Amino acid sequence: MDFWQRYRAIDARDTRFDGQFVTAVRSTGIYCRPSCPARTPKASKVTFFETSAAAHEAGYRACKRCLPEAVPGTPAWNLRSDVAGRAMRLINDGVVSRSGVEGLARQLGYSARQLNRILGGELGAGPLSLARASRAQTARTLLVSTDMLLSDVAFAAGFNSVRQFNDTISEVFALTPSALRAVARRSDHRHGNAKDGAGRAGAVSALTVKLPFREPFDPGIFAFLAVRAVPGIEHAEAGDGGVYSYARTLQLPRSAARFRVEFDAGSPGSHALTLLVSSIDLHDLPVLLSRVRRLFDLDADPVAVDELLARDPRLDASVQAVPGIRLPGAVDPGELLIRAMIGQQITVAAARTALTGLAEAGTVFPEGGGSAEDAGPGRLFPTPEQIADAGRELLRGPRRRIESVLAAARAMAAGELDFGYGDDHRTLAANLLPLPGVGPWTVGYVAMRVPGDPDVLLANDAAVRNGLKALPAAEGLSADFANVSPWRSYATMHLWRAAAAPKQAAALPQAAILPQAAILAQARRTATGAAPAAPRRRRPPLPAGSPK
């Protein structure tokens, strides 16, 4: 987007662009979200930044009225496969906090000096500043959503000291942490988003956090996870009474975590999922928040995706029936690869059965198990080392497939295979294709779910072919859906949904399918977490080919 396209967006107060760039006003020294209800500043006084970190670096502070940090992230980091996009995915996953700038640069294949120069030129801020802005945003989320002690918030957000936390919050928001908590909560009460069920200070066993998203949101992602849930590790409920949930255990860098994500489709004005964390080392909390957001694709721009997909006659009816479809991510790249390899050329049910047997190799959760209704899943997904040791006895099926899974597990355990959120489709292919039993389908599936590549069509997938047969025929359109690029991963999700439509129609409640027009209208009227906006003006046209 150029300057004037962005200026028209802020003049129209278009909520679609919240989180995708920030508007800095030189006369006031503040930066805002695009939908800020304040009077539109003169164009001559405005500077646009790709990130809030760049605005911080330029000396601006966050607006107290529109709270620009209280929005979903930008979908650009998944869309971009360049160094900047790959770096931002790793920064959001906490790599700078764990390994420093040198570790981040090493994963990307650059020197720290080169990386600083690239990110400074592309995003207006270096990796340390970008990580600092990410920590400030996490801190704000915890201040608003929980009753944690300020010292606990500081270390949970990734700060090395309480003083560093206080200085950063004061510099970014021009408020002390206590004042920021009070201001944000007054705003939440005005808009009916008051927190509930948050844990007491430091009581991670009752930690509750709201995770905002852009509307519309299709809760069908819970059904996707439910049919693939491995008993003992995961538990999902897809829409009983309009309430959806997904719970699981997860090994994080410092600790084993147990969490649950809930969504009430019938709750009016619900613009967020609820994350309930029952066990975690607070230092791992930013990593968990980032990975849960990736799992549910909460930074997506569903209006932009749906508008392009609906132009294809084959997909139009599906988009109208299921607006806001999401692309499921992955909370553990290595786990996702093992699941993909086991699931090749067999049904989802058969893959789940095989994974249930393999799960016996996993470690019992440190604090004990319990039913899904009580403590939640009680076993961790097995590590590569555990799969390499016990997989031969636990896995069932063709010998070649078992040997392929064991070879991948041994490579990951030995450090010979290293991939993750900082990869793209090209680097994943280079890393994974040399493995026995891994082909283009596996690479494409991993690319969709680990780095969140939005432009993958699994053309050779049997369910995709069946879904295409179930959709209306259209002449003259490309079989590879090039006309809906860069959103072909979402087209794949619609094709999978079409292939499973008869089963889902019988299994899912009608609350899972909401009218497109009503949801889109509500999405365009609502500024997530912002103060009431002035009357909406005409929405600015999207630039041709823009992913925004």
Side-chain angles (χ1 to χ4, degrees):
M1 298 177 70
D2 62 24
F3 178 90
W4 290 109
Q5 288 166 337
R6 288 178 170 177
Y7 188 78
R8 287 194 295 272
I10 69 169
D11 194 37
R13 298 178 175 85
D14 196 325
T15 59
R16 292 180 302 165
F17 298 97
D18 285 352
Q20 302 193 34
F21 63 88
V22 296
T23 306
V25 184
R26 287 189 290 276
S27 58
T28 62
I30 65 170
Y31 68 90
C32 305
R33 64 168 80 179
S35 67
C36 182
R39 179 180 298 179
T40 303
K42 293 181 180 179
S44 60
K45 298 181 179 180
V46 166
T47 301
F48 295 112
F49 292 100
E50 294 285 338
T51 64
S52 59
H56 301 162
E57 285 288 285
Y60 294 93
R61 64 184 187 277
C63 175
K64 299 177 185 178
R65 185 174 182 186
C66 71
L67 304 175
E69 309 295 340
V71 296
T74 175
W77 309 139
N78 289 344
L79 188 66
R80 294 175 63 163
S81 59
D82 60 1
V83 176
R86 294 169 59 201
M88 284 304 300
R89 293 197 294 269
L90 290 173
I91 289 170
N92 289 336
D93 195 52
V95 169
V96 172
S97 296
R98 295 194 299 274
S99 307
V101 176
E102 291 288 347
L104 174 66
R106 187 166 51 251
Q107 290 196 38
L108 295 170
Y110 290 85
S111 70
R113 183 177 179 181
Q114 285 176 308
L115 184 60
N116 270 289
R117 185 170 62 250
I118 292 171
L119 296 185
E122 288 284 328
L123 305 178
L128 282 177
S129 296
L130 292 165
R132 178 171 174 263
S134 179
R135 288 193 290 266
Q137 186 166 4
T138 300
R140 185 210 169 274
T141 298
L142 297 177
L143 286 169
V144 174
S145 299
T146 75
D147 287 328
M148 292 169 61
L149 291 171
L150 297 185
S151 58
D152 288 337
V153 171
F155 293 111
F159 292 97
N160 293 323
S161 67
V162 174
R163 179 176 180 179
Q164 185 186 62
F165 163 68
N166 288 333
D167 291 346
T168 298
I169 296 299
S170 297
E171 182 178 341
V172 172
F173 300 105
L175 292 168
T176 65
S178 298
L180 176 60
R181 173 175 271 172
V183 169
R185 286 184 175 177
R186 283 199 297 271
S187 175
D188 284 345
H189 281 292
R190 282 200 305 270
H191 305 298
N193 297 324
K195 71 175 185 68
D196 62 348
R200 295 294 303 167
V204 294
S205 61
L207 184 63
T208 301
V209 181
K210 296 292 185 181
L211 303 176
F213 56 75
R214 295 181 181 87
E215 289 191 303
F217 176 79
D218 169 38
I221 190 171
F222 286 92
F224 181 95
L225 297 172
V227 298
R228 293 163 175 80
V230 179
I233 296 173
E234 303 167 281
H235 178 78
E237 297 177 359
D240 184 13
V243 177
Y244 300 79
S245 67
Y246 172 76
R248 72 160 292 162
T249 58
L250 179 64
Q251 182 62 52
L252 294 168
R254 294 178 183 237
S255 65
R258 185 191 285 124
F259 67 89
R260 180 182 181 90
V261 179
E262 297 179 348
F263 175 64
D264 185 354
S267 176
S270 176
H271 314 303
L273 302 186
T274 301
L275 171 65
L276 302 99
V277 185
S278 60
S279 181
I280 195 173
D281 183 316
L282 286 178
H283 293 88
D284 279 330
L285 189 56
V287 180
L288 179 64
L289 296 178
S290 174
R291 295 190 184 183
V292 172
R293 293 195 65 84
R294 296 192 67 82
L295 178 64
F296 288 92
D297 197 16
L298 299 184
D299 292 334
D301 184 354
V303 173
V305 173
D306 287 353
E307 285 181 350
L308 184 56
L309 295 185
R311 296 176 191 173
D312 189 309
R314 296 166 293 186
L315 297 171
D316 181 47
S318 181
V319 173
Q320 298 295 329
V322 188
I325 201 166
R326 300 298 165 127
L327 179 62
V331 292
D332 185 309
E335 174 188 324
L336 195 278
L337 174 62
I338 296 298
R339 297 176 77 135
M341 294 180 71
I342 290 175
Q344 292 177 120
Q345 300 180 340
I346 60 175
T347 65
V348 171
R352 183 184 184 187
T353 299
L355 287 163
T356 301
L358 182 63
E360 293 300 317
T363 303
V364 174
F365 195 82
E367 294 183 5
S371 68
E373 293 76 20
D374 182 19
R379 189 180 292 272
L380 294 165
F381 192 87
T383 65
E385 293 82 359
Q386 290 170 331
I387 295 172
D389 290 341
R392 194 180 303 278
E393 291 74 30
L394 296 174
L395 287 171
R396 298 291 181 267
R399 177 180 297 178
R400 179 175 295 180
R401 186 176 69 203
I402 294 174
E403 292 298 334
S404 298
V405 171
L406 294 177
R410 285 193 293 267
M412 288 189 286
E416 299 167 0
L417 176 60
D418 186 15
F419 66 98
Y421 303 111
D423 283 281
D424 56 23
H425 204 147
R426 177 185 57 81
T427 59
L428 284 172
N431 286 330
L432 301 181
L433 285 178
L435 295 172
V438 172
W441 181 92
T442 310
V443 173
Y445 185 73
V446 173
M448 284 176 60
R449 297 200 57 188
V450 175
D453 187 338
D455 201 27
V456 176
L457 182 73
L458 299 176
N460 293 326
D461 184 88
V464 167
R465 293 197 300 268
N466 292 336
L468 186 56
K469 293 175 183 177
L471 295 179
E475 296 182 359
L477 292 176
S478 172
D480 64 0
F481 284 85
N483 56 308
V484 298
S485 180
W487 307 123
R488 287 184 290 181
S489 295
Y490 295 89
T492 297
M493 295 303 300
H494 277 286
L495 292 169
W496 279 340
R497 179 75 66 93
K503 295 180 181 178
Q504 287 191 349
L508 293 179
Q510 290 300 311
I513 301 179
L514 305 175
Q516 163 83 353
I519 295 183
L520 287 181
Q522 184 181 9
R524 289 164 178 164
R525 286 196 304 267
T526 305
T528 305
R536 182 70 47 79
R537 306 174 194 175
R538 181 179 300 174
R539 179 185 301 130
L542 285 171
S546 171
K548 307 294 187 188

